[in-house]
Amino acid sequence: MLTIILKRAATVVPTLIGVIVVTFLLTRVLPGDPAVYFAGPAATPQSIAEIRKSLGLDQPLPEQFARYVDDLAHGNLGNSLATGRPVLAEITSRLPASAELTLFGLIIAVAIAIPLGILAAVKQGSWIDHTCRIVTTAGVSLPVFFTGLLLVYVFYFRLGWAPAPIGRLDVFFDAPPHVTGFYLIDSLIAGDFELFRAALSQLILPGATLAIFSLAPIARMTRASMLAVLASDYIRTARASGLSSYTVVVTYAFRNAMLPVITTLGMVFSFLLGANVLVEKVFAWPGIGSFAVEALIASDYAPVQGFVLTMAILYVALNLVIDILYGVVDPRVRLEA
Amino acid sequence: MSAAPALSVEGLCVEFRTRSGIVRALEDVSFGVGKGETIALVGESGSGKSVTAYAVMGILDPAGRITAGRAMLGDLDLIAATPRQLADVRGRQIAMIFQNPRTALNPIRPVGRQIADVLVRHRKLSHRQALTAAVDMLRAVGITDPARRAKTYPFEMSGGMCQRVMIAIALAARPSLLIADEPTTGLDVTTQAVIMDLIGELAEQLGMATIFITHDLALAGQRARRIIVMHAGHVVETAPTKELFANPRHPYTGELIAATPDSATNLNALASIPGSLPDLRRADLPPCRYSERCPRKTEHCAQPLPRADANAAHDVACWNPLPGQTAGARNASAA
Amino acid sequence: MTDIAANSRTASGVAALLHHARYVIGENSVTGLAFGLFAIILATAMLGPWVVPYDPLASNTAEALKAPSLAHLFGTDQLGRDIFSRVVAATQLDFTIAVSSVVLVFFMGGLAGVAAGFFGGWTDRIIGRIADTIMAFPLFVLAMGIVAALGNTVQNIVLATAIINFPLYARVARAEANVRREAGFVEAARLSGNSEWRILAFHILPNVFPILVVQMSLTMGYAILNAAGLSFIGLGVRPPTPEWGIMVAEGAANIISGEWWIAFFPGAALMLAVFCFNLLGDGLRDIVDPRRRT
């Protein structure tokens, strides 16, 4: 098994190289003078010249690249103009907020989408099947920020069930002592149930927004995969052997059907990481998405570059994990090595 | 046939709803299998032999419907049975093995566990007992080093081994009837013979009745005691094997025999059966579905076919059968 | 040589296709609905700005934040602009963005893909590397990066959308070109003196089009969502230009105070358009290749 992990990890290296090259190019293809962008909108010609010197923007391109890679190796992603702090520090401090939100949304999505897809396949033509199709078609058409706003309007403004969309916690609460950075977990560790409920209530609407968004591809893939598996020869054999419905559907069909769904998760993460940015803006969530958006508005380029790079590396890592997971679960891959 | 047949199919009719119309796949199919008897269901592709088996087992495609008939397994009518009853009986009293054994096994489950699943379900063994018994089953079907093999996956095995595993799964609960649907298609010739021998031995050991479904009349001739010939969803002739080859009565059977090679045949001398299967979606199908390609057709052949005679040893559904030496034919020739 | 018959689009071939298309549309009411809706959106995009009741850019603070009424079907926004007029006017911009993105990616991805499949070797490897690198990024994040780097304009939104869809089109085109590399009509074209590039552009690429047309419809929907998303976070379209995404952003702050109509109608228009393109894609799939129905 270790060989599988190492082999897969090795294939990631060229991808990472490509990612680093692209993020480097993104800031060097800026129309006009990159130094102007890094110096910010309020810069004087003198500070621009200084920035140019200090960032090495007057050097030839290959040297700039070498410097860029060197900086990355030392964790230097530049500084944010707005806060003055190193970009890496900002990103690491805000990452748990985004991670908690994304994981929360994903778990809800999976918990609904997979049973929905299975039932739709097992009971083809039933109302569950039609519901599943409507959900998947509508879910793909809904802009995620629109869903978020609709949810806020209905559940906060009209029904008053949800709290105001102002971030992770209401003003009256303080963050729990930092262990993981996930408020849900940290508040439980601290034994503070009031805080837990407060954090949870803030998570529900943005989490639901992300969940609705990612529900569609997962449900669709589960249904299609189950349908294909249920029509296969080995399910016919299982039925002919008189195995119970539970054994046929769960032990035989579901486990086989889940394999393509695992690979779909990679694509779902691509959408999720993008949708995260939009949802964070709607709900004023203090994660790295809103960090990037604020930086964009302020024409602050180092954070944007750091954001794109971080998200890409995260995405590559997630895909690697999914790949390895698939390799572990499917014996055909596992035993090939 | 012995007094109480293992399986008795009476008047089975099956149709399929498709985009281009309703396919009348089976019409008035009747036959029986005695306890411990080995018979063969023979016919060309599309004759309805597999559909018959699937209908009896209750695993027809969702587009298929059984519109009439009974399939008596002892006291139970399989056609009228509830899904619950069917699931209890399948694997336990009546089992089936399929062609393409590789795809017919769960690709991500060790073969030992697949056998154990049947044992847990039908013989009520505990999980651990079932795994041990599974290894015994693997040994019984002739797989060497069964304890190690039980942990392997189908993709690690040859086609012949996979078929042995399927036999092990089918026979794990000691059924009284086995349906083998083209079990040797896709296997090389040596393996074919070995598998057929294996099925024969196990059937004898267990006192199990067997129905071979095949398009290969020669194979049927070697292994079955009685042969049922099907054409376009009808049973056209039923006879003990020797009698069938010596005295074929239905014109189609005659053509089949003439088209079947043996080791002495010159390929150029092989006859082919004229015409092709009629389109089963037609609303105007004649009562005898062979009549349109039959050289012995008369005007009498437009009449509905004579009813099957369960007691006749050699039964043929034809108004103008081939002249035979025995007096057992139930209908006088019209010509 | 069935390739020649199958692949050259003769006049009778086109007529047969249209006949089949009409049959499929008539058969399936949902597909018919999608085509009808598409026609409406197209008409709105082309004629909208001329027939709107109010000037989409004209502000009238006296009429600000009015709920939907007969005078203002969709209400007014913070600056008193008529939202109905703005939503209709925005159709043109969003539709143009969608179509441009799709046309651009068809040529970019399509040509690159057929080149990769046709020439193989280094061309294939390099294009494959480029596609893989693009796919290594979460798509929306990459779009953000591209627009931020190249400048905050509509053209760059179109370019960014084309780039992030490039791998998919390249892959499909490559597969098709691979199949057709040795086809009869290609040999014939070569023998009549066509250069390899001409063969690519005029013989192979047109044959890849029907297969890609289904994907193009889906990409149109995605392009609109992408553009709207980027505008929502302040990239691309700048106020006061009416565009559905930016209008939702403008109305977002007012949701909390209950003025739902400012964000709702542009959002609903977005949803409707994307929904229509998705259904259209399904319908096109039935027309082009009924075997691939889901």
Side-chain angles (χ1 to χ4, degrees), chain A residues 253-277:
Chain A
F254 175 69
R255 286 195 199 172
N256 278 283
M258 274 306 98
L259 295 174
V261 175
I262 291 179
T263 23
T264 306
L265 277 181
M267 185 196 75
V268 171
F269 271 118
S270 173
F271 292 158
L272 263 184
L273 290 178
N276 211 351
V277 176

Side-chain angles (χ1 to χ4, degrees), chain B:
Chain B
M1 258 196 284
S2 15
L7 175 72
S8 171
V9 176
E10 297 154 27
L12 188 60
C13 299
V14 172
E15 48 181 48
F16 286 90
R17 276 163 295 133
T18 67
R19 278 200 177 181
S20 39
I22 295 189
V23 178
R24 276 159 275 272
L26 291 184
E27 194 170 71
D28 202 22
V29 168
S30 305
F31 64 92
V33 195
K35 283 198 171 56
E37 188 186 15
T38 301
I39 69 167
L41 212 52
V42 172
E44 60 194 301
S45 292
S47 55
K49 11 186 238 303
S50 292
V51 175
T52 308
Y54 284 33
V56 164
M57 290 288 286
I59 52 173
L60 269 181
D61 193 88
R65 274 184 332 146
I66 302 175
T67 52
R70 302 195 312 166
M72 303 304 295
L73 187 72
D75 283 337
L76 177 64
D77 179 5
L78 294 173
I79 309 298
T82 64
R84 194 78 211 255
Q85 290 172 307
L86 267 182
D88 283 336
V89 149
R90 268 190 240 139
R92 176 79 191 78
Q93 289 174 32
I94 176 172
M96 188 159 172
I97 62 178
F98 303 90
Q99 47 185 318
N100 294 323
R102 272 266 181 74
T103 56
L105 294 175
N106 189 339
I108 63 173
R109 200 165 171 75
V111 299
R113 291 255 212 118
Q114 297 189 44
I115 303 173
D117 289 338
V118 177
L119 291 167
V120 166
R121 167 84 176 95
H122 291 299
R123 300 238 303 254
K124 308 294 184 216
L125 297 181
S126 80
H127 201 63
R128 195 170 309 163
Q129 291 171 319
L131 283 171
T132 321
V135 173
D136 292 334
M137 280 304 302
L138 284 175
R139 195 176 295 119
V141 295
I143 289 187
T144 54
D145 199 0
R148 187 179 64 86
R149 288 280 184 205
K151 301 203 188 91
T152 58
Y153 294 88
F155 69 90
E156 299 175 276
M157 300 175 135
S158 69
M161 278 209 266
C162 286
Q163 192 56 284
R164 291 178 195 263
V165 170
M166 264 238 283
I167 294 172
I169 291 176
L171 268 38
R174 309 262 187 278
S176 47
L177 171 64
L178 172 71
I179 305 179
D181 188 0
E182 310 262 19
T184 53
T185 309
L187 300 176
D188 65 81
V189 177
T190 340
T191 321
Q192 281 185 20
V194 167
I195 294 290
M196 294 301 285
D197 284 341
L198 177 66
I199 297 178
E201 278 163 31
L202 291 170
E204 211 182 292
Q205 276 174 33
L206 298 171
M208 183 178 70
T210 312
I211 303 178
F212 280 114
I213 298 179
T214 179
H215 58 272
D216 186 350
L217 192 55
L219 187 76
Q222 288 163 14
R223 304 287 177 169
R225 236 184 31 139
R226 238 174 1 108
I227 295 184
I228 299 167
V229 182
M230 286 187 72
H231 172 267
H234 282 173
V235 169
V236 297
E237 188 162 2
T238 308
T241 307
K242 286 210 186 62
E243 169 75 11
L244 190 85
F245 279 94
N247 258 337
R249 311 256 19 238
H250 197 281
Y252 178 63
T253 314
E255 301 283 357
L256 260 186
I257 292 174
T260 302
D262 62 36
S263 50
T265 316
N266 182 341
L267 272 177
N268 289 325
L270 272 181
S272 68
I273 304 175
S276 56
L277 284 177
D279 182 351
L280 298 180
R281 290 167 299 186
R282 283 164 46 188
D284 64 338
L285 279 172
C288 171
R289 293 179 177 181
Y290 187 65
S291 57
E292 280 166 359
R293 51 200 291 213
C294 183
R296 295 175 60 81
K297 178 179 175 180
T298 67
E299 319 105 27
H300 203 237
C301 296
Q303 306 272 4
L305 285 168
R307 293 246 79 216
D309 183 356
N311 291 322
H314 187 160
D315 199 27
V316 58
C318 182
W319 288 121
N320 191 13
L322 294 167
Q325 281 87 346
T326 52
R330 59 180 150 96
N331 35 342
S333 106

Side-chain angles (χ1 to χ4, degrees), chain C residues 78-116:
Chain C
Q78 307 92 325
L79 296 179
R81 297 176 293 196
D82 177 44
I83 293 181
F84 177 73
S85 308
R86 283 174 66 79
V87 168
V88 168
T91 314
Q92 187 170 66
L93 181 57
D94 278 299
F95 192 77
T96 312
I97 293 178
V99 171
S100 326
S101 309
V102 157
V103 167
L104 185 59
V105 75
F106 172 75
F107 282 107
M108 268 172 58
L111 270 175
V114 295

Side-chain angles (χ1 to χ4, degrees), chain A residues 47-63:
Chain A
S47 54
I48 293 178
E50 276 171 27
I51 292 271
R52 189 176 293 122
K53 206 84 230 241
S54 67
L55 290 182
L57 293 169
D58 46 353
Q59 307 289 343
L61 222 49
E63 274 195 46

